[in-house]
Amino acid sequence: MTPKLKPFVTAERPSSTSPLRASMIPGSRAAHNDTRWADICTALTALRDRGRHAIRIVDADCACATLLIEVMRHAKALGFTAIEGRGIDGSPAMIGRARAAAGRLREPAIGLTFEVADMIEALASEADFPADIVLWHGGRPGDDRPGLRASLAKAGDLVIGDHDLSSRQAWAA
C-alpha cells in the first residue's frame, strides 16, 4: 500500500514586487519578511476559499511567537472565526516572551498556547488531531534527528518550512 503523501512547502523570500510586501500589510515587519510568509498567506486563503471558518496552526519552533501571532491576526482578517495556535520551543525565555506577547492580543476568536518542550515529543501529541498548518524553520543543527520529519508530517496537513531543499518534496505520513 502506498503511503499517503503530505505536502511540504519550502518558502522563498517574496520579491520586492510581490503584493505581500511588508510595507503593504499592517503588522509585524519581521513576520512579513519571513521566508514562509507568502506560502502561509496562500495556504490560509486556500482554506478560507474552501469555506473553512476554523483553523489550527502549530509553530514547531516559535521562539518569541512573532510569526505565529501575526499569522493569527492575518487569519482573523481573512474571516476565520475560530483560530487556534500552539507554539512550541525548547527555550523557557522565548516561551515567556511569547506568552507575554500573546497576553497583549485582545481577540476572542484567537486562542494561543505555548509550551517549553522537545519538538519531536510535542509534535507526536499532534498526530491524533493534526493541525491544518505546521510551521517549521528547518535546516538548523539537530533538525536531522531521527523521527523529526515523520513527526512533522503526522502533526499537520501542511508543513511550511523555510530551509532550502534541493527540490520540493512531499513527506510520507
Side-chain angles (χ1 to χ4, degrees):
M1 176 180 213
T2 305
K4 179 182 170 190
L5 296 179
K6 292 193 177 191
F8 177 81
V9 178
T10 56
E12 297 173 7
R13 185 167 304 281
S15 70
S16 60
T17 59
S18 168
L20 297 174
R21 269 193 353 240
S23 62
M24 298 176 70
I25 304 170
S28 168
R29 186 180 329 211
H32 296 241
N33 286 328
D34 190 289
T35 60
R36 299 166 289 175
W37 183 254
D39 288 324
I40 293 166
C41 291
T42 300
L44 289 172
T45 300
L47 287 166
R48 187 66 186 111
D49 288 349
R50 289 196 308 241
R52 294 283 303 275
H53 296 280
I55 189 156
R56 190 161 170 273
I57 300 170
V58 172
D59 191 339
D61 191 13
C62 71
C64 62
T66 301
L67 178 63
L68 182 59
I69 290 170
E70 192 60 23
V71 170
M72 301 287 105
R73 288 181 177 141
H74 187 68
K76 175 67 175 149
L78 287 174
F80 287 94
T81 56
I83 307 156
E84 181 182 337
R86 178 183 182 200
I88 303 162
D89 200 279
S91 168
M94 288 292 112
I95 291 297
R97 290 179 62 192
R99 287 177 178 150
R104 293 187 295 274
L105 185 63
R106 306 275 189 244
E107 179 53 61
I110 298 174
L112 283 163
T113 60
F114 298 97
E115 73 179 281
V116 177
D118 175 74
M119 189 185 314
I120 292 176
E121 291 174 17
L123 291 171
S125 70
E126 295 290 332
D128 291 335
F129 183 62
D132 296 296
I133 299 171
V134 175
L135 305 176
W136 176 58
H137 276 295
R140 294 181 176 183
D143 284 347
D144 58 349
R145 292 185 295 163
L148 179 59
R149 289 182 181 240
S151 294
L152 283 162
K154 292 176 184 175
D157 295 331
L158 178 66
V159 176
I160 300 176
D162 64 1
H163 66 288
D164 186 22
L165 295 176
S166 58
S167 63
R168 293 179 188 254
Q169 64 185 21
W171 288 355

